[in-house]
Amino acid sequence: MTSTGTTAPPPPGVARLLRPYAGGFAVVVTLQVIGAVAGLAPLLAVAELGRTLLAPGPADDGHVRDVVIAGAAGLLVRLLFTAASSGVGHLLDTRVQLSLRRQLAARLGRVPIGWLARRHSGELAKVVGEDVSAVHPVIAHTPGELVSAFVVPLVSLGYLFTVDWRLTLITLIPVLLAVALVPLMMTPARLREQKEFDAAMGRISASVVEFVQGIAVVKAFGGSERAHGRFRTAVDDFTRSFYRMVRGLAGVAAGMQVALSPPFVLLAVLAGGAYRITGGGLAPADLLPFLLLGLGLTAPVAALGHGFDDVQAAWRAVGRIRDVLAEPSLPEPERPVAPEGHRVELRDVRFGYGGRSGYEGRSGYGGRFGNGGAEAGREVLRGIDLVLEPGTVTAVVGPSGSGKSTLVQLLPRFYDPTHGSVLLGGVDLREVGSRELYRRVSFVFQDVRLLRASVADNIALAVPHADRDAVVRAARRASIHDRVLELPRGYDSVIGEDARLSGGEAQRVSIARALLADTPVLVLDEATAFADPQTEQAVREALAQTREKRTTLVIAHRLETIADADTVVMLRDGEIVERGTTAELLARGGAFAEFWKIHADAVEAGAVEAGAMEAGSREREGEAAR
């Protein structure tokens, strides 16, 4: 068996990410160089006019006219070329951001679904959204600022050296002082403070989301003060981190601002110029170019310093983008094999998160974007041998943490087993192409995610060319048709815009999607967890109508829903401890019977409590009526 994509590609560097746009960057830099050099023409023209007009004797009118024309032409060229450079830079930035988002979307479309399932959606959304947008300064602004920071001073220095090299060195003192302070902003302590600031910012954002999303539950159980306390703690941590970072950078930043400020530059030039003039080494008129161009030496460097934080943020964002792009894709077979039939078999299956599943990522499932650190290295399934015959329903039950969800996620190949194999139609799933696999296996999970598309498109996701009649039939069988008709535009209503569905309704849309796909293998993980009993019964009947032609694997915490399963598998600590029909397992009096009894007692206690509450309500209503 040979697969591709089993190892992670090396992390793409910044140069590699931007290499396709080298031509565009060359255009931006060339335009900016021309504009920057031309921008010196008005300053040089003013300096030359001053020297000409202040020189002894009558001024040369022709020379004055040529200098004025050259200055005006330089200003016009600067405006045109700088505007063109900025425009091309922003267009290039749009292309780069579009390309990065397409690359991220393509990579996320190829990584294992299990990798995505174990990541917080907010983290990936931040990478695709905020982090890509954070690259904007590096693309649209930094090239021009770098050109200005180097080209303008170099050209200015070249001219000033021809006037007086000693005063030129004195004029450079403010720039050299500012540059000498830059390393102090990048010491290990400063970098550590910035990382702590980023982490504190992440914690305060998470606490805000947690507080807002859970406010109803928090208030209902009287925990608002405790939840608010966690928010205050996060705010205090952020304040301390921000204070440490600002305190560490304040002195350096202030020193750079003073060194590059116009008064300090003028003071250095005037002091040096006065020394040279009184010493007879410089004509008074020759001081004018230094006064004008001295400020031009510091302005680009100051602008570059102001964008330092943006560049650092962009660099960190590129690092996170690189991490996602470096994630390995789902291993695909070089020569896919088509299964014969839809018999499912698990042979000595073992699985552990962070194990050698073939695509655990560059740093395991935990990783930068993972939340599986607690489970990394722990074997969740051990020695699973199970056969699912066509036309049968196999139910998996067990306490929380027994490995039920992990087991069913192996069948649609969210993960590959770390040992053993999962076969469909006699073929190892690793030898089945993903397109072929998902034409044969569909799944409905408790945590349903619907696309921001019409209800009809969500139902027809697996069969995009299905006609409206087929979509409606699937919705009817999933008991969601009547609710869809209540929406403003019926099946054309868009999820998240004019279609707001509850958890149970979203589950029924997902079930309709699976019914329309009509795959020979169906995986259900608490697919009716949010449905009322009548809806759950209707969905079970709809699934039972096509039961004889598909292989079904189902997880259910409501044991009534698996009472008619052909085979019940009892899991405990990642191992199968019992299997058989519901009646057989109850008669055996083992782990399943005990599990069933605990469930039945809980249901009965809940029913008694609900009855008492209803009776009390009726009594209060009667007293109110009297």
Side-chain angles (χ1 to χ4, degrees):
M1 178 181 64
T2 306
S3 298
T4 60
T6 56
T7 58
V14 178
R16 181 181 169 191
L17 287 174
L18 302 180
R19 187 177 302 157
Y21 308 97
F25 281 109
V27 172
V28 171
V29 171
T30 301
L31 292 173
Q32 186 67 32
V33 167
I34 297 173
V37 173
L40 292 174
L43 297 176
L44 295 175
V46 172
E48 186 62 27
L49 281 176
R51 297 174 67 187
T52 301
L53 296 176
L54 293 175
D60 184 351
D61 294 341
H63 179 67
V64 170
R65 182 177 61 254
D66 293 340
V67 169
V68 172
I69 293 174
L75 179 61
L76 179 61
V77 171
R78 171 181 168 77
L79 293 175
L80 292 177
F81 278 77
T82 302
S85 176
S86 177
V88 173
H90 281 81
L91 289 175
L92 183 63
D93 171 61
T94 302
R95 291 177 56 199
V96 171
Q97 290 196 36
L98 177 62
S99 175
L100 289 177
R101 288 195 171 96
R102 283 177 171 172
Q103 291 182 57
L104 288 168
R107 174 58 56 183
L108 294 175
R110 292 194 299 267
V111 298
I113 299 179
W115 184 88
L116 291 171
R118 295 179 62 78
R119 267 94 193 139
H120 294 303
S121 58
E123 293 172 339
L124 294 177
K126 182 180 184 299
V127 174
V128 178
E130 295 179 18
D131 286 343
V132 173
S133 297
V135 180
H136 169 79
V138 175
I139 308 298
H141 301 291
T142 301
E145 292 175 353
L146 284 174
V147 168
S148 297
F150 289 101
V151 173
V152 171
L154 287 176
V155 175
S156 300
L157 287 174
Y159 175 78
L160 294 178
F161 263 104
T162 63
V163 179
D164 187 86
W165 66 270
R166 294 177 181 83
L167 186 54
T168 301
L169 295 179
I170 296 174
T171 306
L172 278 175
I173 290 176
V175 176
L176 296 177
L177 287 176
V179 172
L181 293 174
V182 170
L184 298 180
M185 302 181 68
M186 303 182 66
T187 61
R190 301 289 82 79
L191 296 177
R192 184 172 60 253
E193 290 167 357
Q194 290 175 5
K195 289 183 178 179
E196 291 174 355
F197 173 78
D198 288 342
M201 179 68 79
R203 287 193 297 271
I204 196 173
S205 299
S207 66
V208 169
V209 173
E210 177 186 3
F211 185 75
V212 172
Q213 291 183 344
I215 188 63
V217 176
V218 168
K219 294 184 69 174
F221 289 93
S224 58
E225 184 62 30
R226 185 167 59 255
H228 190 253
R230 287 196 294 269
F231 173 72
R232 287 200 306 268
T233 300
V235 172
D236 292 340
D237 290 343
F238 170 79
T239 303
R240 285 191 291 269
S241 299
F242 180 73
Y243 175 73
R244 283 195 298 270
M245 185 181 71
V246 171
R247 183 178 58 185
L249 294 175
V252 179
M256 292 183 66
Q257 288 183 352
V258 170
L260 298 174
S261 63
F264 187 80
V265 175
L266 291 175
L267 178 63
V269 173
L270 288 174
Y275 171 76
R276 292 288 296 151
I277 292 172
T278 56
L282 183 72
D286 289 340
L287 179 62
L288 187 58
F290 291 92
L291 293 174
L292 294 173
L293 296 181
L295 297 177
L297 291 176
T298 59
V301 180
L304 189 61
H306 293 155
F308 185 72
D309 291 339
D310 289 337
V311 172
Q312 281 194 316
W315 194 263
R316 294 193 296 270
V318 169
R320 290 186 288 269
I321 293 171
R322 292 170 60 216
D323 284 343
V324 174
L325 293 178
E327 285 298 330
S329 59
L330 178 72
E332 290 284 348
E334 293 181 357
R335 296 180 178 85
V337 180
E340 297 181 2
H342 47 278
R343 183 176 187 266
V344 176
E345 184 177 0
L346 288 79
R347 295 179 181 173
D348 193 23
V349 167
R350 293 176 177 270
F351 179 79
Y353 292 105
R356 295 175 299 162
S357 59
Y359 45 83
E360 62 271 16
R362 296 172 51 235
S363 56
Y365 284 111
R368 177 180 295 205
F369 293 99
N371 60 354
E375 294 181 340
R378 182 172 70 87
E379 202 168 47
V380 181
L381 299 175
R382 297 187 293 275
I384 301 295
D385 290 297
L386 183 62
V387 176
L388 286 63
E389 297 289 352
T392 64
V393 175
T394 301
V396 182
V397 299
S400 297
S402 60
K404 302 185 300 296
S405 293
T406 301
L407 175 62
V408 300
Q409 287 176 1
L410 295 179
L411 190 50
R413 207 183 170 203
F414 284 15
Y415 306 104
D416 284 341
T418 52
H419 180 271
S421 56
V422 181
L423 291 83
L424 173 62
V427 179
D428 193 308
L429 292 185
R430 286 168 286 204
E431 297 182 358
V432 181
S434 57
R435 290 182 180 272
E436 179 67 22
L437 176 63
Y438 295 127
R439 279 198 293 263
R440 294 172 178 265
V441 180
S442 58
F443 39 88
V444 181
F445 293 133
Q446 181 174 350
D447 185 15
V448 177
R449 302 292 176 88
L450 299 180
L451 302 181
R452 194 177 186 87
S454 69
V455 176
D457 288 341
N458 270 277
I459 294 176
L461 186 62
V463 191
H465 302 298
D467 57 31
R468 182 58 58 89
D469 291 339
V471 171
V472 171
R473 284 195 300 271
R476 287 184 182 275
R477 293 169 61 195
S479 298
I480 191 63
H481 172 70
D482 292 339
R483 175 68 181 98
V484 173
L485 294 183
E486 295 174 357
L487 298 174
R489 290 184 287 157
Y491 283 89
D492 294 322
S493 300
V494 176
I495 301 295
E497 293 182 5
D498 53 356
R500 307 286 179 179
L501 301 179
S502 66
E505 292 164 349
Q507 276 190 328
R508 278 178 274 163
V509 170
S510 182
I511 292 170
R513 178 191 300 161
L515 292 172
L516 181 61
D518 196 26
T519 58
V521 179
L522 179 61
V523 179
L524 304 171
D525 183 359
E526 278 297 310
T528 55
F530 302 124
D532 57 79
Q534 292 79 10
T535 301
E536 182 180 7
Q537 180 62 30
V539 170
R540 289 211 308 269
E541 291 176 355
L543 294 173
Q545 292 174 5
T546 56
R547 169 175 174 172
E548 68 282 353
K549 64 177 184 178
R550 69 159 52 99
T551 304
T552 305
L553 179 63
V554 57
I555 290 179
H557 293 94
R558 298 178 185 174
L559 298 183
E560 297 86 353
T561 63
I562 50 90
D564 57 347
D566 297 285
T567 303
V568 177
V569 176
M570 177 74 183
L571 279 183
R572 178 180 290 169
D573 295 330
E575 297 179 335
I576 297 178
V577 295
E578 281 189 315
R579 73 180 76 198
T581 64
T582 304
E584 290 172 350
L585 296 180
L586 288 175
R588 195 175 299 169
F592 177 80
E594 180 183 357
F595 188 67
W596 183 286
K597 182 178 183 303
I598 293 174
H599 170 76
D601 291 344
V603 172
E604 182 179 354
V608 171
E609 183 178 355
M613 292 177 63
E614 184 178 355
S617 176
R618 286 198 300 267
E619 183 178 350
R620 287 191 296 271
E621 290 176 357
E623 291 177 354
R626 290 193 297 270

